Amino acid sequence: MSIFSNKPKVSPVASPAGAAADGSTGPAENQPVEKSDAQWRQELTPEEYRVLRQAGTERPYTGEYWDTHTTGVYQCRACGTELFTSQEKFDSHCGWPSFWAPLAEGTVRYIHDRTLGMERVEVRCAACDSHLGHVFEGEGYGTPTDQRFCINSVSLKLVPADDAGQ
């Protein structure tokens, strides 16, 4: 069942070229990434830290990928795990990059978020537990899953298809 408990999951998207034969989607063979707060602060910019580690949100229409149409794979900016592909990215005109599904089952995890007086589903990187954004359903976009993964650009790093495998 889906995270919204009312629809079956869509089949996982095929791994992009260059993915490991075992299906791993990150640099550490799907091993959890564990770092201290001090390590994260040292490795990330202040804005990356605020969004990825403190569940912040970048302002709409300000991130580098909200209107990008480059073919490639979107990795977690904190740990490099492959999370989404351009095949599932769509124009939602909401001001953040939007995807209708993650790259594969298990690359992201979900948390029920009741902050700010709203009922939402938070999306986190399954490998390093970094905040990515939120997922919404039933908004009428006509995507195969009827879901919109609304992801902060600062949480992602786009690896263009031309650069894959190098």
Side-chain angles (χ1 to χ4, degrees), residues 5 9 14 33 39 48 58 75 82 90 123 130 135 151 156:
S5 299
K9 281 186 179 174
V33 176
Q39 287 173 301
E48 290 168 349
E58 66 191 2
Q75 299 175 338
E82 294 177 345
F90 70 100
V123 180
S130 286
V135 61
I151 306 299
L156 302 172

Side-chain angles (χ1 to χ4, degrees), residues 15-164:
S15 294
D22 67 359
S24 65
T25 59
E29 304 291 326
N30 284 339
Q31 296 300 314
V33 176
E34 296 180 15
K35 296 181 182 183
S36 70
D37 187 62
Q39 287 173 301
W40 285 122
R41 284 184 186 274
Q42 184 177 10
E43 293 178 16
L44 301 172
T45 68
E47 178 67 358
E48 290 168 349
Y49 182 84
R50 185 183 72 78
V51 172
L52 290 159
R53 306 310 304 167
Q54 296 180 316
T57 301
E58 66 191 2
R59 290 188 352 258
Y61 304 102
T62 62
E64 70 180 304
Y65 302 129
W66 77 270
D67 196 26
T68 298
H69 297 90
T70 303
T71 301
V73 175
Y74 290 86
Q75 299 175 338
C76 174
R77 192 169 307 239
C79 73
T81 297
E82 294 177 345
L83 302 171
F84 301 94
T85 75
S86 57
Q87 289 179 294
E88 293 76 43
K89 190 171 188 287
F90 70 100
D91 290 327
S92 67
H93 308 288
C94 70
W96 292 276
S98 297
F99 304 87
W100 51 264
L103 180 134
E105 188 173 334
T107 58
V108 298
R109 69 184 195 93
Y110 307 98
I111 299 172
H112 287 279
D113 177 2
R114 293 178 178 88
T115 60
L116 305 175
M118 295 184 271
E119 265 307 302
R120 301 181 295 176
V121 176
E122 180 183 0
V123 180
R124 289 185 168 257
C125 175
C128 70
D129 198 39
S130 286
H131 172 77
L132 304 171
H134 291 85
V135 61
F136 304 94
E137 184 174 63
E139 296 178 316
Y141 283 106
T143 59
T145 61
D146 195 29
Q147 295 175 350
R148 175 176 58 97
F149 286 76
C150 183
I151 306 299
N152 292 286
S153 287
V154 74
S155 298
L156 302 172
K157 177 185 176 192
L158 172 60
V159 178
D162 297 344
D163 296 345

